[in-house]
Amino acid sequence: MLKFLINLFFETSEKKLAALQGIVEKINSFEPAVKKLSDSELRAKTEEFRSRISNGESLDDILPEAFALVREASVRTIGLRHFDVQLLGGIILHQGKISEMKTGEGKTLAATLPLYLNTLSGKGCHLVTVNDYLAKRDRNWMGPVYEILGLTVGVIQHDMDYAQRKAAYSCDITYGTNNEFGFDYLRDNMATTLEQCVQRELNYAIVDEVDSILIDEARTPLIISGVVEENIDGYLKADQIVRHLQIQKDFTIDEKAKNAILTEDGFTKVEKILNIESLYDIVNMEMAHQILQSLKAHFLYKKDIDYVEKDNEIIIVDEFTGRLMFGRRYSDGLHQAIEAKERVKINEESQTLATISFQNYFRIYKKLAGMTGTAITEEAEFSKIYKLDTIEVPTHQPMVRDDMHDIIYKTKKEKFKAIINEVVQCSKIGRPVLVGTISIENSEILSELLGRHGVDHHVLNAKHHEREAEIVSKAGQKKAVTIATNMAGRGTDIVLGPGVVDVGGLYIIGSERHESRRIDNQLRGRSGRQGDPGSSRFYVSLEDDLMRLFGSQRISSVMDRLGIEEDTPIEHGLISRAIEGAQKKVEQYHFNIRKQLIEYDDVMNKQRTTIYELRRRILEGRNLSEKISEIIESVSTDLCSAFIPEKVYPEDWDYDGLYAAILEIINIDNDYLKGFKDLKHRDDAIDLLKKMLKAAYEEKCKLFSPDQCRDIERLVMLQVIDNKWIDHLHNMDELRDGIGLRAYGQKDPLIEYKIEGYEMFQSMMRSFRSETLNLFYKVQIMRDGENIIKEKQKKSITYSGSPEVHAPAQRRDKKVGRNDPCPCGSGKKYKKCCGSMK
């Protein structure tokens, strides 16, 4: 009855799919004619379609015939024919929606249909995957389908240089990861010439595993950063102090919020160790911060769970995929604190040079679509943040996998014992088993226990990922036992070997529930593909992090009242629902974090868009003289507004302040400046200042050739805007860090952030305009100007393989560190005082 009412009053997936069925039938009607075409005639169809589009036909008009063409190309090249459900998935993707297709239903093949269609406009399309391996695999696998139709296909890899990236982006279709696409966008907006830019206009993208990229990874913005000199020894000292502190007595931790707080006893103890009067005196603020970060490093971030030590470096482990995140570093000194804890080399802190959230990067595309096996649980978030509808596509064959109730134990020890017994029993009858874990640590514990029982098995985690494709390809063979972190849950297809169907298919064992239901569903989805038999079950203990933090109290009290022993399991639907309730709590918590991130980043996004549009105009050299004229007019108005306010009599004008401000920009005769005293109207003063600045600009231009002048204008504006933007990003970070305290004053932190952020941006733009003029008026060519300009242009953006650090941040003052006391005597740190205005 409930399903009937939902179908009656709501726009369900079934209704949406019914509306598309006619298009599928039309595609199928073209199949006989398309089959008769030769290979050269197939290729010629692409030019015919492009011609029809240029003559006014829409992509929707061409869709049925184009999809039929791609299906035939696929049959001829890779031997795969799109099912009708894959046609449905392709239509949904073309419409700019999310297509939920279960594991093994052929999402990779379905994507070829809308990619081919949308590239006919000549603007290029991107297929976004979760890792380099899948990007390369899918490009090589699907490449022949496009190539027989006359299209070019490229792939972006982590270690590619500028020329390789440029070539890949110039192709009709480009495969790559979300990180590489995003970082290339940021690098393009740091380029000093158009030739250094690699991306074209962001036209159409299909995001594979869309929930992983747009939901799970959305909490971490993309950041390109440069190294700044910081107090490295402070982290070593903080690490030594923390090793002498006692939990509960000297400090407390909040595992849910991942936060640590010193108690009163802790304050006293630290102050005694440091022999200081007050830890929170302004001169000790940096040490206080480093101690708190060190507490987090020791008690909230665990080796082989949150990070691994590899080649004397700390590498973060992605909690959702289980993969190593090379080049990524924890921010705000946490990474340095972990390095001190693990006794590896401590690297310098970094300064943000460019940043964007995944939400705002992908919203730049003119059209965005996504596909995954698990999107329905996040349908509301996709709709709210990305304006993406989600449609569930039916499976080609009925799903027969048996998803059994969870089994819960009191302790981890008993849980692991039960898992090992289950794997041993399956191994005896030849049934393949995939054991999923959420951490490297647990995968190695289970591996050791299986080894003791003499069970041959493979381990797939971030430490042992080199043979990933080989291990996964054999995981469905008879007697195969595979232990894998979440990295085996994305983009892999496990095919059953001979005789496996007879013993029940692939058995999925989850050794722990993940915080996200989607990750659990991804693991389950490894079994039961294309109508295959299979089963899944999760083993849970009250000592698991999810249960311990979010859901075990009620269950634990029930077990105690019933007198259930540690080795006695509980299996009931109520238990599974209680665990699901705990997961929903965590998902809501993370949703709030993502929502807050995008609300704050939306403020930055408007500013970022303004700066990047201005940079692009400068790079393209469009009307630079006109831009200088605009700057002169704005600077003239800004200065007069500051020193000759409206509704103030001329005798009260601040002539001295105005003269001093003008002389900071341009070296001009003092007697000429005194002409302002003869004026009676503010507008006349603005006009006089404009004439002075324009005359100086024209005189300066006479020293160079027209081409030299344009190059100097471009280089000056780029240098100033980049320096100002970097400082602004730092100042906005500082504002964001402290804005939450406004809530204590009954003010909305977000509104305060918007107001102050806007004022800071306007101040930054005023500073950009005045400094641009100042630098242009003072620029000197010491030798042949063409050589100087060419040398400047040689400094291209690097592609070092590390997305986090691509250029050194320039120090503003070699004698004063950013965290040193400001020499002006204010008592503040230099970076928060005079350094913030440099």
mmCIF file of all heavy atoms in Angstrom, residues 513-530:
data_model
loop_
_atom_site.group_PDB
_atom_site.id
_atom_site.type_symbol
_atom_site.label_atom_id
_atom_site.label_comp_id
_atom_site.label_asym_id
_atom_site.label_seq_id
_atom_site.Cartn_x
_atom_site.Cartn_y
_atom_site.Cartn_z
ATOM 1 N N ARG A 513 31.337 -2.786 10.449
ATOM 2 C CA ARG A 513 30.479 -1.825 9.735
ATOM 3 C C ARG A 513 31.234 -0.504 9.547
ATOM 4 O O ARG A 513 31.871 -0.008 10.469
ATOM 5 C CB ARG A 513 29.197 -1.564 10.512
ATOM 6 C CG ARG A 513 28.162 -2.662 10.365
ATOM 7 C CD ARG A 513 27.471 -2.585 9.034
ATOM 8 N NE ARG A 513 26.256 -3.386 9.000
ATOM 9 C CZ ARG A 513 25.342 -3.291 8.033
ATOM 10 N NH1 ARG A 513 25.519 -2.430 7.053
ATOM 11 N NH2 ARG A 513 24.275 -4.058 8.055
ATOM 12 N N HIS A 514 31.132 0.051 8.351
ATOM 13 C CA HIS A 514 31.733 1.358 8.088
ATOM 14 C C HIS A 514 30.785 2.451 8.562
ATOM 15 O O HIS A 514 29.585 2.218 8.762
ATOM 16 C CB HIS A 514 32.006 1.521 6.588
ATOM 17 C CG HIS A 514 32.907 2.664 6.257
ATOM 18 N ND1 HIS A 514 32.439 3.939 6.068
ATOM 19 C CD2 HIS A 514 34.242 2.725 6.107
ATOM 20 C CE1 HIS A 514 33.449 4.744 5.803
ATOM 21 N NE2 HIS A 514 34.566 4.033 5.811
ATOM 22 N N GLU A 515 31.322 3.660 8.740
ATOM 23 C CA GLU A 515 30.474 4.791 9.137
ATOM 24 C C GLU A 515 29.399 5.074 8.101
ATOM 25 O O GLU A 515 28.336 5.594 8.416
ATOM 26 C CB GLU A 515 31.329 6.046 9.337
ATOM 27 C CG GLU A 515 32.218 5.998 10.566
ATOM 28 C CD GLU A 515 33.041 7.253 10.721
ATOM 29 O OE1 GLU A 515 33.054 8.073 9.773
ATOM 30 O OE2 GLU A 515 33.659 7.441 11.777
ATOM 31 N N SER A 516 29.690 4.770 6.831
ATOM 32 C CA SER A 516 28.748 5.050 5.754
ATOM 33 C C SER A 516 28.102 3.763 5.255
ATOM 34 O O SER A 516 28.789 2.786 4.943
ATOM 35 C CB SER A 516 29.480 5.747 4.593
ATOM 36 O OG SER A 516 28.657 5.797 3.457
ATOM 37 N N ARG A 517 26.782 3.770 5.167
ATOM 38 C CA ARG A 517 26.068 2.600 4.642
ATOM 39 C C ARG A 517 26.464 2.310 3.197
ATOM 40 O O ARG A 517 26.474 1.161 2.765
ATOM 41 C CB ARG A 517 24.551 2.843 4.714
ATOM 42 C CG ARG A 517 23.969 2.807 6.105
ATOM 43 C CD ARG A 517 22.521 3.270 6.099
ATOM 44 N NE ARG A 517 22.419 4.682 5.756
ATOM 45 C CZ ARG A 517 21.292 5.283 5.387
ATOM 46 N NH1 ARG A 517 20.180 4.582 5.300
ATOM 47 N NH2 ARG A 517 21.280 6.570 5.108
ATOM 48 N N ARG A 518 26.779 3.367 2.453
ATOM 49 C CA ARG A 518 27.139 3.187 1.045
ATOM 50 C C ARG A 518 28.398 2.341 0.877
ATOM 51 O O ARG A 518 28.502 1.540 -0.053
ATOM 52 C CB ARG A 518 27.346 4.543 0.358
ATOM 53 C CG ARG A 518 26.069 5.286 0.094
ATOM 54 C CD ARG A 518 26.325 6.633 -0.554
ATOM 55 N NE ARG A 518 27.072 7.516 0.340
ATOM 56 C CZ ARG A 518 28.376 7.737 0.250
ATOM 57 N NH1 ARG A 518 29.091 7.153 -0.684
ATOM 58 N NH2 ARG A 518 28.970 8.565 1.092
ATOM 59 N N ILE A 519 29.372 2.528 1.771
ATOM 60 C CA ILE A 519 30.608 1.749 1.668
ATOM 61 C C ILE A 519 30.317 0.275 1.930
ATOM 62 O O ILE A 519 30.848 -0.611 1.255
ATOM 63 C CB ILE A 519 31.665 2.274 2.664
ATOM 64 C CG1 ILE A 519 31.880 3.771 2.496
ATOM 65 C CG2 ILE A 519 32.973 1.514 2.490
ATOM 66 C CD1 ILE A 519 32.353 4.194 1.138
ATOM 67 N N ASP A 520 29.437 0.009 2.892
ATOM 68 C CA ASP A 520 29.025 -1.376 3.150
ATOM 69 C C ASP A 520 28.297 -1.958 1.943
ATOM 70 O O ASP A 520 28.518 -3.115 1.563
ATOM 71 C CB ASP A 520 28.107 -1.434 4.376
ATOM 72 C CG ASP A 520 28.846 -1.133 5.679
ATOM 73 O OD1 ASP A 520 30.086 -1.202 5.680
ATOM 74 O OD2 ASP A 520 28.179 -0.816 6.676
ATOM 75 N N ASN A 521 27.435 -1.163 1.338
ATOM 76 C CA ASN A 521 26.699 -1.642 0.160
ATOM 77 C C ASN A 521 27.637 -1.897 -1.015
ATOM 78 O O ASN A 521 27.408 -2.811 -1.815
ATOM 79 C CB ASN A 521 25.624 -0.627 -0.237
ATOM 80 C CG ASN A 521 24.494 -0.556 0.770
ATOM 81 O OD1 ASN A 521 24.284 -1.505 1.541
ATOM 82 N ND2 ASN A 521 23.766 0.542 0.798
ATOM 83 N N GLN A 522 28.693 -1.072 -1.138
ATOM 84 C CA GLN A 522 29.682 -1.301 -2.187
ATOM 85 C C GLN A 522 30.370 -2.648 -1.985
ATOM 86 O O GLN A 522 30.604 -3.392 -2.937
ATOM 87 C CB GLN A 522 30.739 -0.178 -2.162
ATOM 88 C CG GLN A 522 30.299 1.108 -2.831
ATOM 89 C CD GLN A 522 30.336 1.004 -4.347
ATOM 90 O OE1 GLN A 522 31.044 0.165 -4.901
ATOM 91 N NE2 GLN A 522 29.576 1.844 -5.012
ATOM 92 N N LEU A 523 30.702 -2.958 -0.734
ATOM 93 C CA LEU A 523 31.348 -4.250 -0.448
ATOM 94 C C LEU A 523 30.406 -5.395 -0.791
ATOM 95 O O LEU A 523 30.799 -6.355 -1.459
ATOM 96 C CB LEU A 523 31.758 -4.301 1.023
ATOM 97 C CG LEU A 523 32.403 -5.605 1.502
ATOM 98 C CD1 LEU A 523 33.703 -5.875 0.755
ATOM 99 C CD2 LEU A 523 32.659 -5.560 3.012
ATOM 100 N N ARG A 524 29.161 -5.281 -0.348
ATOM 101 C CA ARG A 524 28.169 -6.326 -0.674
ATOM 102 C C ARG A 524 28.039 -6.503 -2.190
ATOM 103 O O ARG A 524 27.840 -7.607 -2.693
ATOM 104 C CB ARG A 524 26.814 -5.936 -0.098
ATOM 105 C CG ARG A 524 26.650 -6.305 1.363
ATOM 106 C CD ARG A 524 25.201 -6.203 1.782
ATOM 107 N NE ARG A 524 24.962 -6.973 2.985
ATOM 108 C CZ ARG A 524 24.417 -6.497 4.094
ATOM 109 N NH1 ARG A 524 24.059 -5.227 4.157
ATOM 110 N NH2 ARG A 524 24.231 -7.262 5.146
ATOM 111 N N GLY A 525 28.147 -5.387 -2.907
ATOM 112 C CA GLY A 525 27.950 -5.405 -4.358
ATOM 113 C C GLY A 525 29.013 -6.149 -5.134
ATOM 114 O O GLY A 525 28.863 -6.363 -6.341
ATOM 115 N N ARG A 526 30.104 -6.566 -4.446
ATOM 116 C CA ARG A 526 31.116 -7.381 -5.149
ATOM 117 C C ARG A 526 30.541 -8.743 -5.511
ATOM 118 O O ARG A 526 31.066 -9.419 -6.394
ATOM 119 C CB ARG A 526 32.342 -7.619 -4.244
ATOM 120 C CG ARG A 526 33.096 -6.400 -3.794
ATOM 121 C CD ARG A 526 33.607 -5.566 -4.945
ATOM 122 N NE ARG A 526 32.750 -4.431 -5.180
ATOM 123 C CZ ARG A 526 32.647 -3.771 -6.304
ATOM 124 N NH1 ARG A 526 33.324 -4.156 -7.355
ATOM 125 N NH2 ARG A 526 31.836 -2.746 -6.424
ATOM 126 N N SER A 527 29.481 -9.164 -4.798
ATOM 127 C CA SER A 527 28.880 -10.478 -5.024
ATOM 128 C C SER A 527 27.498 -10.302 -5.661
ATOM 129 O O SER A 527 26.842 -9.288 -5.470
ATOM 130 C CB SER A 527 28.753 -11.217 -3.685
ATOM 131 O OG SER A 527 28.094 -12.438 -3.836
ATOM 132 N N GLY A 528 27.086 -11.314 -6.428
ATOM 133 C CA GLY A 528 25.736 -11.292 -6.997
ATOM 134 C C GLY A 528 25.610 -10.489 -8.279
ATOM 135 O O GLY A 528 24.532 -9.988 -8.592
ATOM 136 N N ARG A 529 26.692 -10.355 -9.045
ATOM 137 C CA ARG A 529 26.637 -9.593 -10.293
ATOM 138 C C ARG A 529 25.923 -10.388 -11.385
ATOM 139 O O ARG A 529 26.056 -11.600 -11.467
ATOM 140 C CB ARG A 529 28.048 -9.216 -10.771
ATOM 141 C CG ARG A 529 28.933 -10.421 -11.063
ATOM 142 C CD ARG A 529 30.315 -10.036 -11.572
ATOM 143 N NE ARG A 529 30.283 -9.467 -12.884
ATOM 144 C CZ ARG A 529 30.172 -10.173 -14.008
ATOM 145 N NH1 ARG A 529 30.047 -11.487 -13.961
ATOM 146 N NH2 ARG A 529 30.173 -9.571 -15.168
ATOM 147 N N GLN A 530 25.181 -9.675 -12.209
ATOM 148 C CA GLN A 530 24.534 -10.273 -13.396
ATOM 149 C C GLN A 530 23.769 -11.554 -13.083
ATOM 150 O O GLN A 530 23.805 -12.529 -13.821
ATOM 151 C CB GLN A 530 25.591 -10.558 -14.473
ATOM 152 C CG GLN A 530 26.209 -9.325 -15.078
ATOM 153 C CD GLN A 530 25.226 -8.579 -15.992
ATOM 154 O OE1 GLN A 530 24.302 -9.157 -16.552
ATOM 155 N NE2 GLN A 530 25.418 -7.276 -16.101
#
